[in-house]
Amino acid sequence: MNLTISGHHLEVTPALREYVLTKLERVTRHFDQVVDVSVLLTVEKLKEKERRQKAEVTLHVKGRDIFVEQAHEDLYAAIDQLMDKLDRQVCRHKDRLQDHHHEAAKRQGASA
């Protein structure tokens, strides 16, 4: 898995990098076919303080790219909410990949 963590208008500290890595472990625990992950942490100069810190991630899995973004006044809270969203989307993608369309037990017994 290739991982890129970059910052826009902020320096990505080792503590911030470690925090993102620990949060990403939950996503990779659910779905291990992740090819590439790109995380962008941004501080925007907005008038309203509550949406200044922004985190976005692009996750490349086999057959699909998943993009999620989240803004909050605290960067750590934005990362938490972002990983929750990403986890839900990855689980949904994993469910779609699994074949749920097998024959019912009644039909298998009738044909035999």
Side-chain angles (χ1 to χ4, degrees), residues 3-108:
L3 175 66
T4 308
I5 301 175
S6 55
H8 193 253
H9 295 299
L10 89 145
E11 181 184 339
V12 180
T13 61
L16 205 52
R17 180 178 299 277
E18 189 63 34
Y19 191 75
V20 170
L21 283 172
T22 55
K23 291 295 180 175
L24 268 174
E25 283 178 11
R26 189 176 76 185
V27 174
T28 55
R29 200 175 336 130
H30 282 151
F31 191 66
D32 58 350
Q33 296 177 355
V34 176
V35 177
D36 192 30
V37 181
S38 176
V39 180
L40 179 64
L41 307 173
T42 310
V43 176
E44 294 179 347
K45 297 192 180 344
L46 295 174
K47 297 262 188 216
E48 47 193 73
K49 275 195 160 184
E50 61 269 1
R51 296 285 178 202
R52 282 179 82 164
Q53 316 281 337
K54 187 168 142 186
E56 52 190 59
V57 65
T58 305
L59 189 89
H60 179 71
V61 294
K62 187 178 171 192
R64 187 166 176 208
D65 283 343
I66 299 173
F67 176 77
V68 182
E69 65 180 346
Q70 183 67 41
H72 198 272
E73 62 185 34
D74 179 28
L75 190 57
Y76 288 97
I79 292 170
D80 283 344
Q81 293 171 357
L82 176 88
M83 291 304 168
D84 289 342
K85 278 185 177 180
L86 183 65
D87 195 37
R88 281 193 301 273
Q89 286 203 14
V90 165
C91 286
R92 196 171 350 140
H93 176 67
K94 184 178 175 182
D95 282 346
R96 285 183 185 146
L97 285 180
Q98 292 172 345
D99 186 21
H100 294 292
H101 303 291
H102 43 46
E103 281 192 53
K106 290 180 186 175
R107 298 201 178 196
Q108 289 176 351

